[in-house]
Amino acid sequence: MAAGPYNYSYIFKYIIIGDMGVGKSCLLHQFTEKKFMADCPHTIGVEFGTRIIEVASQKIKLQIWDTAGQERFRAVTRSYYRGAAGALMVYDITRRSTYNHLSSWLTDARNLTNPNTVIFLIGNKCDLDAQRDVTYEEAKQFAEENGLMFLECSAKTGENVEDAFLDTAKKIYQNIQDGSLDLNAAESGVQHKPATPRNPINTDQPPNKEGCAC
Amino acid sequence: MFYVQLMDIAKLVQKTLTPNEKCIQAIECARILDGKRTLRYAAIVINKQEHGVFIFTALRVPCLQSSDLVLESVIPIDGSMRCSAEAPSQQTELRLSLRSPIINVLIEMPKSDPSTLFLAEIKKAKDVYSQVPAFGEPAAIFPWLEKYKRQSTDFNQSSGENPFAEDIFDPLKHMSLDGTNMHVVDTESSRQTTWFQDDMSSLSSSYEHLKPAQKSRSRDSLDKILGGDEDYTDSMETLQWSLGISSGNELPILGKTISSREKIVKKFLTDRELEFTDQHSFRIYCGTWNVNGQSPPDSLHKWMVVDAEPPDIYVVGFQELDLSKEAFIFTDSPKEVEWQKAVKAALHPKAKYLKVKSIRLVGIMLIVYIQAKHKGFIKFIDSDSVPTGIMGIMGNKGGVSVRFTLHNTSLCFVTSHLAAHQDEYERRNQDYKDIMSKTKFKDFSPPLEISEHDIVFWIGDLNYRIDLPIDTVKSYIKKGAHKKLILEDQLYRQLQANSEIFRGFEEGFPNFDPTYKFDSGTDNYDSSEKNRVPAYCDRILWRGPGVKQLRYDSHPQLKISDHKPVSSLFDVGIRVLDDKRFKRVYEDIMKKLDRLENDHLPQIKIDNTELIFKDVKFVEPQVQVVTVANVGQIPVEFEFINKLDDQTYCRPWLKATPCKSIIEAGVCCEVQIEVYVDKSTAAKLNSGEEKLEDILVLHLTNGKDSFITVSGNYMTSSFGSSIEALIQMHGPIREVPVAELIEIEQPGSLSRVDITKDGGRLYMVPKEIWKMVDFLHKYAMNKDELFQQPGRNSEIQFIRDCLDTGRPEHIPDSLSVHSVAEAFLMFLESLPQPVIPYEFYTKCLSTSNNLLLSKQLVTSLPGCHKNTFLYICAFLRELLKHSDKNGLDIKFLCSFFGEVMLRPQTPLFTTASAKEAVVKERRSKLREEDAKKAAFMYHFLSNEIEL
């Protein structure tokens, strides 16, 4: 039976990574709740959010894991990269240090996810243009050099937040369509039917045998 | 036919059976195969609680002995067996269809008491079957029938072959024996015409998303209840997920009927329908005619074309379409074809129509057409029929229905033929109730009923009469006083009284003469002897909002029947979806549900995620409590989980209790976090190789993970320090700078010691060992149960501090010797390298039976280890000299200290998970090793060894 429209055909797993304080949780909150969360506490752990979106008339459920950015948790949060179909890598345009650390985050993302994982670079806090410390152009160039998708967003105003999440999903979906993302491969980060998320660390989830019905 | 005594046949059948089996009834019947009837005997056989129907052919008639009977078919009366019967009133025969997955048998038997009994027995057998506990596990049952199945003549040819396979229409296909009464119930005895090219039954449904869940057709389908239905599992998961309930919990099986997210969305959409739909006006034509079994006249235009504009929908109902006996057994009716063609030909010429559906129950037929331009907006077409005739089962009376959804409005059309005769209006009322309650559109789950539709049209020969004398009626008719007539109409009165009959239905004023009963072919009312009172038998009613009746007429020009046809034209408000607004509302609902789902994710608060343990000491546990509060709306299940590549959720010196639990909403759970460094973990902490640092990952099932950071400082201790390092320390370990400690704990640090340097002197044995041995030597020589009685924790901790800080310089004599003895053993066990270093372990075992080789081995040990070993052995020999007082014997000390001083690097664990044989093997190996260790020790405890 084809999945009804209220149901969803796919589950995409996302992770959000980046330095502490760049606004990862706020981006998630803005995306799932359409609200800006002022005074957001530091994430000590991995927050979890979900939303159903539509790409090419397909209902897709996004399971988003928002990781703690603190350096001391780095070893643990690495556990969560596995099996992600999309990785949103966030820096703060007003703090150059967060931008400088991107290569280290990117290394982790590349090493710990599968080659088809879509990595999306987000320059957050673009509403604070006056305090800008990283230019759009250099980040754009960094993204191009590393084959990343890129947008500047604001979790506060909501600008481009929707697009960042949706463009990632579109790209993943496109990868499924053109066959470059093999759903049968382990850890594709895409599930073809609803299922409860499992323990994300012990990712011995069986590879999806369902295949794609498209 | 030659009717044999039934008892005799039963007796003959019995003779063909084994003693365990009993023929409870046998009956003569005719089997219908390829349209031909041939004589058979049908028998019901019981074995314990299992029944089967046996069909025999006869070698000769009458049968005189059991060998005259040849078994033809065997049908187990099990869950998959379907039995249906029909008893056309005009016939003397009763038809019975018995269907199993592999065989279908159609038999005919006389309408007689034995036949009724036979049917009753089958029903009973079915009931018995459904009560047998093994129900649902067909594999294991009816083994006794196998031998007969092989015997039966049609076993080979008919397995998997449906004798009705060629029949496009199998009249009995959907009939099943009702579980509650012995009625033969027709669930779908209608036929769906397939020969019209413009048939719409294959309409593809656009708006797929509005489609109700198409599930199993029967509510009590075992598959569904037992969870065989994949789709259900799916939607269940969706729901559990959306509610944050982990799957696999003790959800009742009935929970499967909980609505899924789709259903929730559907409900929200229904609630907000007005926001995204507009009312558009549609013309619906309804026509009903009791045609008294006649063929159609040349043209039906006068009846069916009542307006210059073509209606959007045609709903045409017939009664008494076919009065022939053949019609009762539901085979093809030539009349149906004729009338279908006539209706099609009479559709409004100004528009192109497609047939939505037609359905027939004996003489009752309903045909629905829609203008082709609406094709894309009609969906979920379904139909059903309910017979209410003789015994409440025959299809000569009853109702048929067609339903569909047009745009966003659900429409249901019913045509019925209710019970006849002036005084039988109660019967008519009952028929109405039956049709209302028994009509089920089974494409829906749960099946949809008539009353659940937005708009219902009910047309047909309802047979309600006028309670006035015939002369009065006829005089009113002459005067055209239709109002006076309708006031005495049985249906009108009930509608006015707001009785339960046709409650909620409306009817326009029939400003025409009663449509019954005429002499066929004329406009004259019944002139026969029966002299029936004219009546408004043929009616058109509706229910629901937005319906406006434009016309309500009869058409006396059509004279072929004893009834006149009736028609009505309606203006009906249909809710049409506005895509834009729908999308907006839909997105809004989805958003709300997403939020709901996120709100229903498990939520907890942890009061402290940074635990610092200060000055953790060897074998001295420290505990801190973390409070996990469930601040969400659902119970949460938490568990500390392993980090990537880890085998356990935390370091070995750390423990969380409980490490897994469920917290109810609004409740707190206290988790004890304990740090405890013992002999197995001390060495690495001492050497600085490891620190008291860990991150616990508290995982919520279906939810987020929280990190609890644990850190602390460890007070270095001589316990867990290496002999090598200890002999280099002049003062107590606490006075040694950390950097130096790390330095001297490096393997091979001894070789770098500059002995000539001031203070570079090395101890022979660690002073801590010396202090403890000295104590024992002084106070324990004559003490009973040494090394057997446990010490006191507080004293052991005191000894630790004493040795580590040098305060007091010596172990006070107030302490129990047993505490010191245990501390001494603990000290030896905590050594990162045992007294006999790991690399010598295997060699020791192999030389254990040889004194000389053992001596050589000890000589080859690193100096400090050799010294320590010999020192301890000397002490033990000293103890043995006092064995008469302390009760120690050499055997005990050999095996005891063999264990302590000779340790393998990787212990042979006897894990519970290992297989028994493996465990056994390991145990015996352990015993063997222990014996060798003791033997090795024996050399050194029995003699004073000169090296």
Side-chain angles (χ1 to χ4, degrees):
Chain A
M1 180 179 157
Y6 301 141
N7 219 323
Y8 41 90
S9 334
Y10 296 95
I11 299 175
F12 291 175
K13 177 184 166 180
Y14 280 17
I15 49 164
I16 312 180
I17 54 173
D19 273 11
M20 179 168 78
V22 297
K24 297 182 293 299
S25 298
C26 290
L27 284 168
L28 172 62
H29 197 77
Q30 177 63 252
F31 179 66
T32 57
E33 310 278 320
K34 302 239 183 273
K35 266 188 243 156
F36 176 61
M37 185 166 48
D39 307 320
C40 172
H42 287 310
T43 305
I44 302 181
V46 176
E47 296 284 338
F48 180 77
T50 162
R51 197 181 133 182
I52 295 177
I53 56 160
E54 199 168 323
V55 171
S57 311
Q58 293 280 330
K59 290 277 183 287
I60 293 166
K61 180 164 188 159
L62 300 183
Q63 276 184 3
I64 309 150
W65 296 88
D66 161 35
T67 63
Q70 291 176 56
E71 183 60 29
R72 61 190 176 124
F73 294 132
R74 195 77 177 264
V76 185
T77 50
R78 282 193 181 106
S79 312
Y80 294 82
Y81 287 57
R82 213 193 276 182
L88 307 184
M89 190 167 71
V90 189
Y91 70 96
D92 175 353
I93 66 154
T94 68
R95 280 193 294 147
R96 176 155 286 276
S97 63
T98 66
Y99 175 78
N100 292 342
H101 290 154
L102 286 177
S103 56
S104 133
W105 288 109
L106 186 59
T107 308
D108 272 3
R110 292 253 195 261
N111 290 344
L112 298 163
T113 62
N114 73 70
N116 285 302
T117 300
V118 174
I119 303 176
F120 200 108
L121 180 64
I122 295 178
N124 193 27
K125 310 194 187 176
C126 70
D127 53 299
L128 303 175
D129 202 47
Q131 299 160 45
R132 182 183 282 278
D133 203 11
V134 181
T135 64
Y136 178 86
E137 289 71 25
E138 62 180 316
K140 180 77 191 159
Q141 196 189 336
F142 174 82
E144 272 166 13
E145 282 166 4
N146 291 284
L148 313 175
M149 299 171 82
F150 172 61
L151 272 180
E152 282 192 348
C153 301
S154 168
K156 190 170 185 180
T157 65
E159 184 184 343
N160 279 346
V161 173
E162 193 87 355
D163 301 270
F165 282 85
L166 293 188
D167 289 356
T168 307
K170 279 178 201 158
K171 180 68 183 158
I172 296 167
Y173 187 71
Q174 193 188 320
N175 287 347
I176 296 170
Q177 294 301 295
D178 65 24
S180 58
L181 179 60
D182 180 8
L183 292 187
N184 293 319
E187 296 169 16
S188 65
V190 175
Q191 278 176 284
H192 196 62
K193 57 184 224 182
T196 50
R198 275 160 227 178
N199 177 339
I201 289 187
N202 301 330
T203 353
D204 40 11
Q205 292 177 24
N208 195 318
K209 303 276 191 224
E210 297 300 304
C212 169
C214 314
Chain B
M1 276 187 199
F2 192 99
Y3 288 104
V4 192
Q5 283 290 310
L6 293 163
M7 278 311 290
D8 290 345
I9 288 297
K11 274 181 195 161
L12 291 181
V13 170
Q14 185 65 53
K15 283 183 188 168
T16 70
L17 305 173
T18 65
N20 295 337
E21 298 147 3
K22 189 171 173 272
C23 171
I24 49 178
Q25 208 199 343
I27 190 165
E28 182 181 322
C29 60
R31 180 166 185 183
I32 304 170
L33 264 180
D34 303 321
K36 285 181 212 150
R37 291 171 169 75
T38 41
L39 178 70
R40 293 288 188 279
Y41 298 102
I44 299 171
V45 177
I46 180 170
N47 181 334
K48 297 206 180 85
Q49 286 183 310
E50 297 171 345
H51 295 73
V53 176
F54 288 40
I55 307 288
F56 293 93
T57 52
L59 287 181
R60 58 173 172 164
V61 179
C63 294
L64 298 175
Q65 55 196 64
S66 60
S67 58
D68 292 338
L69 292 169
V70 177
L71 187 62
E72 188 184 49
S73 307
V74 179
I75 305 138
I77 305 181
D78 60 12
S80 61
M81 185 265 199
R82 294 273 170 273
C83 170
S84 48
E86 52 161 321
S89 57
Q90 294 88 343
Q91 287 173 11
T92 55
E93 309 289 327
L94 184 82
R95 272 198 182 193
L96 184 64
S97 160
L98 301 169
R99 304 163 61 85
S100 80
I102 56 157
I103 189 168
N104 301 312
V105 174
L106 184 61
I107 54 176
E108 214 175 74
M109 49 185 77
K111 275 185 187 166
S112 61
D113 289 344
S115 301
T116 316
L117 223 77
F118 189 84
L119 270 173
E121 285 295 346
I122 291 178
K123 186 200 172 281
K124 245 200 284 180
K126 271 208 82 130
D127 287 352
V128 168
Y129 177 85
S130 62
Q131 281 150 18
V132 173
F135 190 36
E137 296 166 8
I141 54 177
F142 293 100
W144 61 280
L145 275 183
E146 287 312 310
K147 56 183 183 288
Y148 294 114
K149 280 186 186 166
R150 280 191 295 277
Q151 240 179 67
S152 62
T153 52
D154 67 359
F155 173 69
N156 291 322
Q157 71 201 33
S158 67
S159 65
E161 222 180 84
N162 180 349
F164 290 96
E166 301 302 313
D167 290 5
I168 297 168
F169 172 61
D170 172 8
L172 303 174
K173 203 163 176 172
H174 301 292
M175 295 177 73
S176 62
L177 209 61
D178 190 304
T180 50
N181 47 48
M182 197 44 208
H183 294 162
V184 182
V185 172
D186 178 1
T187 54
E188 200 177 321
S189 63
S190 55
R191 57 160 313 180
Q192 296 162 14
T193 38
T194 51
W195 56 81
F196 289 91
Q197 285 180 335
D198 54 356
D199 190 272
M200 282 180 76
S201 55
S202 61
L203 260 181
S204 64
S205 331
S206 56
Y207 296 90
E208 187 83 29
H209 53 277
L210 288 175
K211 191 155 191 166
Q214 292 218 358
K215 301 294 181 196
S216 159
R217 281 194 154 236
S218 80
R219 248 183 189 169
D220 56 354
S221 149
L222 261 184
D223 270 3
K224 202 159 106 186
I225 293 166
L226 297 180
D229 189 330
E230 266 282 321
D231 287 338
Y232 257 82
T233 322
D234 267 9
S235 53
M236 225 11 243
E237 263 180 31
T238 317
L239 177 73
Q240 285 180 7
W241 180 215
S242 69
L243 297 181
I245 307 162
S246 66
S247 58
N249 278 0
E250 51 300 292
L251 272 165
I253 286 166
L254 283 174
K256 295 229 164 208
T257 55
I258 302 175
S259 57
S260 61
R261 180 169 171 129
E262 280 97 307
K263 284 185 186 158
I264 299 168
V265 175
K266 197 163 175 250
K267 190 189 170 299
F268 284 5
L269 279 174
T270 312
D271 291 349
R272 299 176 61 176
E273 190 186 22
L274 292 180
E275 286 180 46
F276 56 86
T277 57
D278 299 308
Q279 188 160 309
H280 288 202
S281 174
F282 276 66
R283 287 281 173 96
I284 297 181
Y285 167 93
C286 291
T288 177
W289 195 6
N290 179 325
V291 296
N292 195 25
Q294 303 301 310
S295 290
D298 294 341
S299 161
L300 300 176
H301 280 92
K302 287 193 174 102
W303 172 41
M304 286 180 56
V305 179
V306 294
D307 194 74
E309 288 307 308
D312 296 281
I313 296 170
Y314 264 105
V315 179
V316 186
F318 293 99
Q319 302 82 37
E320 296 194 5
L321 190 81
D322 196 336
L323 294 172
S324 68
K325 287 174 186 174
E326 289 77 16
F328 275 85
I329 54 169
F330 309 118
T331 49
D332 287 355
S333 162
K335 285 282 189 333
E336 172 171 356
V337 185
E338 291 173 26
W339 281 100
Q340 289 273 9
K341 281 182 180 163
V343 167
K344 194 185 174 194
L347 295 170
H348 204 292
K350 280 194 191 165
K352 191 175 180 297
Y353 289 91
L354 295 173
K355 182 152 78 179
V356 178
K357 189 107 183 170
S358 80
I359 175 170
R360 182 172 69 87
L361 169 75
V362 193
I364 308 165
M365 181 161 80
L366 183 64
I367 308 170
V368 180
Y369 275 91
I370 193 164
Q371 277 199 33
K373 64 180 178 186
H374 302 308
K375 180 177 174 178
F377 307 104
I378 177 170
K379 53 199 178 269
F380 317 141
I381 302 160
D382 197 8
S383 63
D384 193 26
S385 60
V386 172
T388 60
I390 298 152
M391 295 154 62
I393 52 170
M394 294 308 301
N396 60 333
K397 294 289 189 297
V400 297
S401 314
V402 169
R403 67 88 52 210
F404 55 82
T405 302
L406 180 59
H407 290 281
N408 225 36
T409 299
S410 60
L411 294 163
C412 181
F413 305 99
V414 186
T415 187
S416 68
H417 192 188
L418 306 185
H421 305 299
Q422 185 83 26
D423 302 327
E424 291 288 341
Y425 76 93
E426 287 291 1
R427 179 67 232 168
R428 289 187 271 283
N429 289 349
Q430 187 56 48
D431 287 353
Y432 159 78
K433 286 189 213 165
D434 286 350
I435 294 166
M436 200 68 182
S437 65
K438 286 184 185 167
T439 299
K440 309 270 181 197
F441 299 105
K442 298 174 196 69
D443 278 355
F444 296 79
S445 175
L448 202 64
E449 298 189 5
I450 294 173
S451 60
E452 293 173 273
H453 288 81
D454 295 331
I455 298 170
V456 182
F457 288 93
W458 195 305
I459 66 177
D461 181 357
L462 309 187
N463 250 328
Y464 287 101
R465 307 301 167 97
I466 299 166
D467 286 327
L468 285 173
I470 184 161
D471 294 337
T472 317
V473 171
K474 284 191 171 167
S475 80
Y476 283 156
I477 291 171
K478 246 176 221 162
K479 292 183 210 156
H482 300 134
K483 211 161 220 166
K484 286 186 171 163
L485 291 171
I486 201 74
L487 282 174
E488 299 304 323
D489 174 78
Q490 292 166 346
L491 176 59
Y492 180 82
R493 284 200 310 233
Q494 293 192 90
L495 287 172
Q496 291 304 304
N498 198 18
S499 76
E500 57 176 333
I501 303 309
F502 285 97
R503 175 171 287 165
F505 279 89
E506 296 174 63
E507 189 193 15
F509 172 56
N511 198 9
F512 48 81
D513 290 347
T515 53
Y516 173 85
K517 175 183 183 169
F518 293 88
D519 293 333
S520 294
T522 73
D523 286 332
N524 307 326
Y525 283 104
D526 185 21
S527 61
S528 73
E529 270 180 25
K530 288 182 181 167
N531 200 24
R532 286 189 179 84
V533 183
Y536 289 110
C537 286
D538 307 285
R539 314 286 277 265
I540 291 171
L541 291 81
W542 73 91
R543 197 175 100 165
V547 181
K548 201 174 129 203
Q549 191 170 43
L550 304 175
R551 304 182 67 101
Y552 191 19
D553 304 303
S554 82
H555 303 271
Q557 310 94 317
L558 295 166
K559 303 179 203 286
I560 52 162
S561 168
D562 55 352
H563 286 252
K564 299 296 183 193
V566 170
S567 74
S568 182
L569 191 64
F570 294 96
D571 188 37
V572 179
I574 299 290
R575 304 227 57 102
V576 176
L577 202 93
D578 180 280
D579 273 340
K580 253 192 194 157
R581 272 144 60 208
F582 172 78
K583 213 174 164 188
R584 211 160 54 218
V585 172
Y586 174 70
E587 292 299 335
D588 189 46
I589 289 170
M590 293 305 279
K591 236 177 268 173
K592 271 190 184 144
L593 284 178
D594 280 336
R595 192 166 307 155
L596 206 69
E597 190 169 331
N598 283 313
D599 285 349
H600 276 79
L601 287 174
Q603 296 292 346
I604 54 157
K605 265 204 178 124
I606 300 174
D607 64 341
N608 189 1
T609 55
E610 293 229 32
L611 306 180
I612 299 167
F613 292 84
K614 277 194 182 139
D615 300 342
V616 176
K617 289 176 178 175
F618 181 71
V619 293
E620 198 168 316
Q622 279 195 32
V623 174
Q624 291 190 33
V625 172
V626 165
T627 306
V628 181
N630 181 353
V631 294
Q633 302 171 28
I634 52 156
V636 297
E637 187 182 11
F638 77 81
E639 183 184 359
F640 289 99
I641 55 167
N642 303 353
K643 292 174 283 291
L644 194 68
D645 303 329
D646 281 355
Q647 299 300 309
T648 52
Y649 68 86
C650 63
R651 311 299 309 149
W653 41 264
L654 187 62
K655 197 170 100 182
T657 321
C659 68
K660 188 178 181 175
S661 183
I662 293 173
I663 315 172
E664 295 300 319
V667 173
C668 295
C669 174
E670 292 199 335
V671 181
Q672 300 207 332
I673 310 289
E674 183 192 89
V675 172
Y676 180 71
V677 179
D678 64 4
K679 59 185 183 187
S680 65
T681 51
K684 283 185 177 171
L685 291 165
N686 252 345
S687 65
E689 193 183 318
E690 195 172 302
K691 283 183 177 146
L692 282 182
E693 272 172 12
D694 197 9
I695 296 171
L696 290 166
V697 181
L698 191 149
H699 173 69
L700 304 185
T701 305
N702 295 331
K704 64 175 190 176
D705 291 1
S706 309
F707 298 161
I708 297 174
T709 321
V710 175
S711 60
N713 65 301
Y714 178 64
M715 306 289 282
T716 48
S717 171
S718 50
F719 288 76
S721 294
S722 67
I723 295 177
E724 243 181 329
L726 288 167
I727 59 165
Q728 297 178 60
M729 294 177 207
H730 298 154
I733 188 166
R734 290 284 163 71
E735 287 170 16
V736 180
V738 176
E740 193 186 325
L741 211 60
I742 292 169
E743 167 69 22
I744 59 177
E745 277 290 0
Q746 294 297 317
S749 66
L750 261 183
S751 59
R752 294 189 295 273
V753 175
D754 181 2
I755 302 192
T756 58
K757 206 179 137 196
D758 182 48
R761 194 167 54 86
L762 299 173
Y763 283 114
M764 288 289 283
V765 296
K767 57 189 178 307
E768 292 80 8
I769 292 184
W770 178 82
K771 279 182 181 177
M772 286 186 281
V773 167
D774 184 52
F775 181 95
L776 293 171
H777 193 253
K778 271 185 193 154
Y779 305 110
M781 278 306 169
N782 300 328
K783 286 278 158 60
D784 221 8
E785 297 214 297
L786 199 62
F787 302 120
Q788 288 158 72
Q789 202 168 304
R792 273 179 241 151
N793 273 346
S794 58
E795 290 190 349
I796 292 168
Q797 287 167 12
F798 185 86
I799 295 162
R800 176 202 61 205
D801 289 346
C802 170
L803 295 175
D804 289 350
T805 61
R807 277 181 300 266
E809 203 183 339
H810 295 285
I811 299 167
D813 54 10
S814 57
L815 295 187
S816 149
V817 290
H818 298 298
S819 297
V820 180
E822 190 175 342
F824 176 54
L825 291 172
M826 204 180 266
F827 192 93
L828 296 179
E829 284 175 328
S830 307
L831 289 170
Q833 283 281 348
V835 180
I836 303 288
Y838 291 129
E839 53 179 310
F840 296 92
Y841 178 74
T842 327
K843 264 193 236 165
C844 275
L845 295 191
S846 60
T847 62
S848 63
N849 56 356
N850 186 308
L851 174 64
L852 205 65
L853 290 175
S854 297
K855 270 163 72 177
Q856 272 177 13
L857 193 136
V858 171
T859 318
S860 67
L861 293 178
C864 55
H865 282 266
K866 181 181 71 183
N867 294 342
T868 307
F869 180 73
L870 293 176
Y871 178 70
I872 293 168
C873 288
F875 163 63
L876 295 176
R877 283 198 305 275
E878 206 52 34
L879 275 177
L880 284 170
K881 285 182 188 161
H882 297 78
S883 58
D884 54 332
K885 303 257 175 55
N886 58 31
L888 289 168
D889 72 82
I890 189 164
K891 256 180 128 176
F892 169 75
L893 285 183
C894 283
S895 59
F896 197 78
F897 277 85
E899 287 273 316
V900 174
M901 297 206 277
L902 280 156
R903 279 186 277 138
Q905 185 134 29
T906 43
L908 278 168
F909 284 119
T910 52
T911 51
S913 62
K915 280 184 183 155
E916 207 181 324
V918 178
V919 172
K920 253 187 179 170
E921 193 191 304
R922 282 183 187 169
R923 275 197 193 135
S924 83
K925 195 171 175 216
L926 270 179
R927 267 201 300 275
E928 200 181 306
E929 288 192 2
D930 286 349
K932 284 180 178 170
K933 286 179 203 169
F936 181 83
M937 288 302 294
Y938 188 80
H939 300 308
F940 301 92
L941 296 196
S942 58
N943 311 291
E944 190 148 344
I945 303 286
E946 293 293 332
L947 292 175

